[in-house]
Amino acid sequence: MVLLEELVEEVLLRFPPSEPACLVRAAFVCKPWCRLVSAPRFRRRFRDLHGAPPVLGVICNLSGWDDGGRFATRLIPTSPACPRRDDLLFCHALDARHGRVLLGGVPSYPGADPVEAGRHLAVWDPVTYGLRALPPALADCKAAVACAAGDGCDHLDCHSGPFVVVALGGFEPEDIWLCVYSSEADSWSEPTYLSRAPVYGVSCQPAALVGNTLYFAIDGSRILRYDLATREASVIYLPETCGYGNRLMTLEDGAVGVARVDSDRDARLSLCLWSMEASPNGDIGWTKIRVIELNKLLPVDELLITPNSLVGFAHGIGVFFIKANDRLFMIDLKSGKVKMVCKGSHFYTVVPYTSFYTPALGSVTIGETSGVDASIG
């Protein structure tokens, strides 16, 4: 019995986006199914139905001890549909958002001066392996990448469109400076100088994006808030109750939050989440919204977990990454599932890569190929 194409589409639309290999296999069942899942209409409906994209891979920044002293960025797929890629040498991942990965340093450039290399940024597509180098930034910096359309886009299929990069830098006794790169103009804005920089420079952890606003961790007690639309910046202070070892994150409800690993008097380890709230008069407050007992999720008796064990998170979807005993674990707070991603002691930070991966017949959304490939967004 031949199924109506409309019924087949409704079934395939409900395939889990976290298992893109299922759609790839479906595309090989027959030509009508391949045409169906390759169509722009299907890709659009699939993304509209599922909303937030899944984690397809984890980008690990390697310290160099396991590769002849060379620093590198390595993509470790969390799905069999995400292609494995060669390491990008002499660079590190700073941020990933809207299907793009922002790299710092100079890929495959041995012997570069570390300070000079820190000025060089590039936007990388891990699926097509495309790399776009940016003009050098003002100085060594941390940075974040985002779609240039801001709130005017749902970010479900904008990875090939215009983007902006916001760079932040400064070391004591300098002031913190901020510059914005536009892919359309292919140039940086004039620097804006902000509050006093901390002694050891700006924190290297990835930024959080809420609406049109980027949040950067300056140090253990301060956050810099930058509005992409108005280009206004301000500084927010974290409460002492949050302590240190905090990591900025975007919560599932779209609010900005912080997370950290903590222990109680009985040495029980927990992942604590705070949410930022603004009062009608503009005052900023922080509320602890959730405590996840890691003892119930991980074999903590066998693992060494500290506040520094929280090495990454996927914004807006409740997925965290914990490093313990040279193993990297992915924890999904919605399902409670824990998955060991990889082993190794030589990575120091991770940046999750979230995107949709759907088959495409004869093309991808950012280029032309032959056969069944993929559309990433």
Side-chain angles (χ1 to χ4, degrees):
M1 183 176 63
V2 179
L3 294 175
L4 293 175
E5 186 172 292
E6 292 81 359
L7 294 179
V8 173
E9 182 176 14
E10 292 302 320
V11 172
L12 297 181
L13 282 170
R14 285 156 178 79
F15 278 19
S18 59
E19 299 293 339
C22 296
L23 277 179
V24 175
R25 287 193 290 268
F28 282 102
V29 169
C30 59
K31 289 183 178 179
W33 284 27
C34 189
R35 286 193 296 267
L36 191 155
V37 299
S38 302
R41 162 191 159 87
F42 179 87
R43 296 199 298 268
R44 187 70 209 179
R45 290 193 64 197
F46 186 80
R47 293 163 181 171
D48 286 341
L49 176 65
H50 295 285
V55 177
L56 292 185
V58 182
I59 303 163
C60 295
N61 291 319
L62 307 180
S63 63
W65 291 104
D66 61 344
D67 193 14
R70 298 178 296 181
F71 288 83
T73 291
R74 176 176 299 166
L75 173 65
I76 299 176
T78 58
S79 164
C82 188
R84 291 188 174 274
R85 296 297 190 186
D86 294 334
D87 294 349
L88 288 174
L89 302 179
F90 308 106
C91 65
H92 58 280
L94 297 172
D95 191 36
R97 190 174 291 104
H98 304 153
R100 306 173 181 92
V101 178
L102 182 64
L103 302 174
V106 184
S108 301
Y109 180 39
D113 178 80
V115 175
E116 181 63 23
R119 300 177 57 215
H120 292 265
L121 304 172
V123 172
W124 178 46
D125 186 328
V127 176
T128 66
Y129 221 53
L131 192 71
R132 173 171 175 169
L134 276 57
L138 180 66
D140 188 12
C141 62
K142 69 164 293 183
V145 62
C147 170
D151 281 344
C153 179
D154 59 14
H155 306 306
L156 296 180
D157 194 20
C158 64
H159 66 283
S160 60
F163 63 89
V164 295
V165 173
V166 180
L168 197 68
F171 289 86
E172 196 274 336
E174 300 174 354
D175 290 335
I176 293 174
W177 58 265
L178 183 147
C179 286
V180 181
Y181 169 83
S182 166
S183 65
E184 295 175 292
D186 192 27
S187 63
W188 291 95
S189 68
E190 290 297 320
T192 299
Y193 292 91
L194 308 167
S195 67
R196 211 66 172 162
V199 174
Y200 298 105
V202 176
S203 169
C204 64
Q205 66 170 281
L209 177 67
V210 176
N212 272 328
T213 305
L214 277 168
Y215 294 84
F216 293 90
I218 300 176
D219 51 29
S221 62
R222 293 182 296 167
I223 297 171
L224 187 137
R225 176 172 55 187
Y226 180 73
D227 191 309
L228 292 169
T230 65
R231 298 198 172 186
E232 296 178 349
S234 58
V235 174
I236 301 170
Y237 285 86
L238 287 168
E240 293 182 3
T241 52
C242 285
Y244 287 89
N246 303 303
R247 287 188 171 267
L248 282 174
M249 57 180 290
T250 304
L251 298 171
E252 294 177 58
D253 61 1
V256 64
V258 294
R260 74 183 301 262
V261 173
D262 209 347
S263 61
D264 59 19
R265 295 178 179 178
D266 298 321
R268 291 176 298 191
L269 294 158
S270 299
L271 180 64
C272 302
L273 309 182
W274 283 264
S275 176
M276 187 183 77
E277 298 176 354
S279 65
N281 61 5
D283 293 335
I284 300 297
W286 294 87
T287 303
K288 184 182 284 189
I289 57 172
R290 191 169 180 186
V291 177
I292 300 98
E293 295 185 19
L294 295 177
N295 304 61
K296 296 181 178 180
L297 296 176
L298 297 171
V300 292
D301 293 338
E302 304 173 9
L303 300 174
L304 177 61
I305 301 177
T306 69
N308 294 326
S309 294
L310 178 59
V311 293
F313 45 85
H315 292 284
I317 59 175
V319 175
F320 291 81
F321 294 86
I322 300 289
K323 180 184 177 183
N325 285 24
D326 300 339
R327 285 179 279 178
L328 180 65
F329 295 92
M330 182 170 69
I331 302 175
D332 189 327
L333 297 187
K334 282 185 178 180
S335 64
K337 292 182 179 179
V338 178
K339 177 181 179 180
M340 191 182 74
V341 178
C342 64
K343 293 182 179 180
S345 60
H346 305 298
F347 61 89
Y348 55 96
T349 57
V350 302
V351 177
Y353 177 67
T354 60
S355 185
F356 285 106
Y357 189 107
T358 53
L361 179 62
S363 68
V364 292
T365 53
I366 56 177
E368 295 294 323
T369 67
S370 60
V372 178
D373 210 309
S375 170
I376 308 300

